Amino acid sequence: MVSKQEQRSEETKKSILASAGVLFSSRGYDAVTMRDIAKEAGCSHTTIYIYFKDKEALLHQLSMPPILQLLEQVDTLLSEDSPPSDKLQAISLQVIEFCLVNRNMYNLFFTVKSVRVDEQTPEMAINQARNKLFGKLTESIQAVLGLDSQDERLLLYTRIYFFNLYGIIATYSNSDETVEQLMGRLKPTFAESFEVLLIGIRSKVK
Amino acid sequence: MVSKQEQRSEETKKSILASAGVLFSSRGYDAVTMRDIAKEAGCSHTTIYIYFKDKEALLHQLSMPPILQLLEQVDTLLSEDSPPSDKLQAISLQVIEFCLVNRNMYNLFFTVKSVRVDEQTPEMAINQARNKLFGKLTESIQAVLGLDSQDERLLLYTRIYFFNLYGIIATYSNSDETVEQLMGRLKPTFAESFEVLLIGIRSKVK
Amino acid sequence: MVSKQEQRSEETKKSILASAGVLFSSRGYDAVTMRDIAKEAGCSHTTIYIYFKDKEALLHQLSMPPILQLLEQVDTLLSEDSPPSDKLQAISLQVIEFCLVNRNMYNLFFTVKSVRVDEQTPEMAINQARNKLFGKLTESIQAVLGLDSQDERLLLYTRIYFFNLYGIIATYSNSDETVEQLMGRLKPTFAESFEVLLIGIRSKVK
Amino acid sequence: MVSKQEQRSEETKKSILASAGVLFSSRGYDAVTMRDIAKEAGCSHTTIYIYFKDKEALLHQLSMPPILQLLEQVDTLLSEDSPPSDKLQAISLQVIEFCLVNRNMYNLFFTVKSVRVDEQTPEMAINQARNKLFGKLTESIQAVLGLDSQDERLLLYTRIYFFNLYGIIATYSNSDETVEQLMGRLKPTFAESFEVLLIGIRSKVK
DNA sequence: TATGAATGAGAGTTCATTCAT
DNA sequence: GATGAATGAACTCTCATTCAT
């Protein structure tokens, strides 16, 4: 059983995290001040430092959990017993939905600057997670196209597939519609985009 | 006839504007200080305020010209006498290059921020220009697909084409590579993406 | 009879005081935070405020005991039955060691800050204790030189003796070595300095 | 000819430097804030950053010029044609007077913490200058005692001579008297201290 | 008694901007 | 027209201290 204090503490932390998430994504990391976050979270700016080492730690804690969760979901889909192209489409829609749900944060982990490899920053961890996600998608695309993992065309068409996927996400990441509305309205469009793309790619690969 | 003073004055102003443009593009608006611009332009930082109200004014004056230039370039391409699909590809590459060149200035050019309509901000003007650009692209796609402008499939496939285009831009808008490097390295990839996409779409539209 | 609670309470207080003493001495008053002290003492930083009004109160309570202890030690040495010059040397080394042990706490113990006489600050008390110490040293020097307490040469050579003593302390008060290391390494040097000085002085006093 | 602006600028810089000197020495480097210095100097705290890179640069600029000047004065004395013991006494009095004139700063360069050798900090430069001064004094003492420069007794007695010298400086560095008053009143005392010390040392060295 | 939560004051520093020449 | 001098606002972050339990 958690004490009332612990509960309040947890609430404060969550509030800070939520506020930071909203502000970072709407105004950008640099443009948001610790005092902005504090005001939004309804606490003093010093309180933030009780829960997070510094501003960068906030960014980190904000980015990792959702992306790890997405990785799990994708793994689950991959392990299911269904046709590869169904899997790919499911995964794609999953990624889209995930990014739109977390849309005010998605660019936190999709647009991380290229990181110097020599220092183990928290950004490194995000980078790794993102790369893993890319790897899983490649794997799924490979299964669909029936290409060898060394075939250089795999990289080419995975990239192109990505453009489509990322374009969808970027296009709607600033929408004011709810994710449900968006997905309900546009799922056929998305599915069609995958379909025509795969048709085109297949005509080239075989 | 302009006096020598006026001429020198005009030169200083241009130098400031040019320096700001280069710096904003390469390092981003926020990361550039007025003193940086002044040093690059070879004048004092106070001199900038003679010609421009403030830092934001610099950005404004800097925002419109390139986008207008892009519109012109697209118009030129549209008016050329070549196959529609060649035109579309040329326009697409042009738009990509433009967005990457200016990637740091308007972070993602396509990102539709909800703009308050009641105030005539410079953002409004950019919005209008962007909408024009979209119109021209649609037009070009229409010519390629041979669809009637009222055909609802035109909207569908234009959207899908956009996903691809926008995805490319978003993917590379945070790269540290120069645009020359990027385009040199990836132009074939981009071209291939348009090709397979059009193959797919055509197979549907017939 | 004291209750178990009172006993535990007293222990906590002592632990805090001891921790503060150690930390103040090793890192200096300003560089030590209340949280540092609490961690060292094994309690929460808020607990400190139960026993001590504020950080300065800790310093006060910590300041007097060691200096009183030094006075006692000097008294003990003075009352021993040994040659006056041996006593003087022992006292001198004692004072040096004391000042180096506490070097960080009262920056230079001998530094006579002009103290306002109208307020009974804790510094006043320290001042008094220090004056007492000076008196005892003079007394010891007098015994060594065999001078009358009114002889003006006593003041002169006591001053000079002080220069040497104070110079030693000042020289090493910013060292990073431990007192043990310092005293172990330099005690012969210190002893030699006292010896040559007394030789010189005696040759004058005759 | 200097413009009025340049003159004012120079005044501001000097004022900042002077204020920093007074405050650093009276309250200690850490305890003094940039805003304190600014208030004392009669300017905004940001103005300080126009003239000095950061707080540490202030300390540096404050410490170096006087110590270099002292080095020159000592060199002049050393090159004069007079008995070694006269030279040593003159140098000693010079150092004392210098330190008392700059008393509110002397501990800035006499009590520099031992510095990590791997980074070329400004403190390093002070360290070097101080070491040079020590070297010159050793040289002079060597001439007086007629010892070989490798004789280990030279180091011993130089150290002891230093204790006396530094003790004098430390003792009077907090006095409110003017340097003229102090030197006028105490020069005989200082001279006597050097004399008895050298008598004692000579009796040992033979 | 004891503590985790929370805060205001203030540290060094940067920067867009204004003032006086 | 042009500039060096100067500043206020604001940034991230720390710390002694108080509040509520």
Side-chain angles (χ1 to χ4, degrees), chain D residues 71-83:
Chain D
L71 281 177
E72 267 182 45
Q73 291 173 348
V74 169
D75 272 337
T76 307
L77 286 174
L78 273 176
S79 66
E80 276 175 12
D81 188 28
S82 50

Side-chain angles (χ1 to χ4, degrees), chain B residues 88-140:
Chain B
L88 177 57
Q89 174 152 333
I91 292 176
S92 301
L93 290 173
Q94 190 89 57
V95 170
I96 290 172
E97 186 162 359
F98 169 83
C99 288
L100 292 182
V101 165
N102 301 282
R103 66 190 132 178
N104 271 307
M105 242 167 85
Y106 354 78
N107 200 358
L108 273 186
F109 178 60
F110 284 119
T111 304
V112 189
K113 281 266 176 64
S114 52
V115 182
R116 276 163 302 188
V117 192
D118 52 331
E119 28 181 356
Q120 176 62 27
T121 69
E123 279 186 336
M124 275 295 296
I126 294 180
N127 245 350
Q128 286 174 6
R130 187 182 46 206
N131 289 342
K132 255 187 200 159
L133 178 62
F134 285 178
K136 288 179 199 304
L137 251 166
T138 308
E139 191 183 323
S140 180

